[in-house]
Amino acid sequence: AGGGDVAALSEDDIPNELMCPITFELMEDPVVAADGHTYERKAIEQWLMRHRTSPKTNAHLPSRALVPNHSLRSLCQVYRERMQKREADR
């Protein structure tokens, strides 16, 4: 999942809103694509190298522009820190 040792986090533990729909991992650098959905930057950049469609809807993307999702990035960081603290306290 990157971002430090979060091996204790399984897909079942991560809220869907914080999970990349491509990697199914906790996002570190979430960005919004032209389809309005949020993805992990590296994952959507790799997707866009091979496709012109949305990974979620398969609809044509009018643009390859990606916009940082700062609010979600903050939420992911808080979640990661809480999970790491919980593991440290065990």
Side-chain angles (χ1 to χ4, degrees):
D5 183 18
V6 290
L9 296 178
S10 73
E11 290 179 23
D12 296 336
D13 297 328
I14 302 170
N16 286 338
E17 297 80 11
L18 305 182
M19 195 179 341
C20 174
I22 297 173
T23 65
F24 299 102
E25 294 179 352
L26 180 64
M27 291 184 274
E28 292 182 44
D29 187 10
V31 293
V32 179
D35 63 358
H37 294 285
T38 299
Y39 305 94
E40 175 61 36
R41 181 183 297 277
K42 290 177 186 172
I44 190 65
E45 284 176 344
Q46 288 177 352
W47 174 272
L48 292 174
M49 286 182 199
R50 300 182 304 277
H51 305 90
R52 292 284 294 172
T53 58
S54 163
K56 282 203 76 161
T57 67
N58 207 32
H60 175 76
L61 291 175
S63 168
R64 293 183 184 203
L66 302 173
V67 178
N69 189 333
H70 298 293
S71 297
L72 192 58
R73 183 179 185 150
S74 295
L75 289 173
C76 289
Q77 184 61 35
V78 167
Y79 181 81
R80 182 177 289 106
E81 290 168 1
R82 284 184 183 159
M83 291 298 98
Q84 290 171 339
K85 182 177 181 340
R86 186 180 341 164
E87 282 302 306
D89 290 346
R90 286 186 182 172

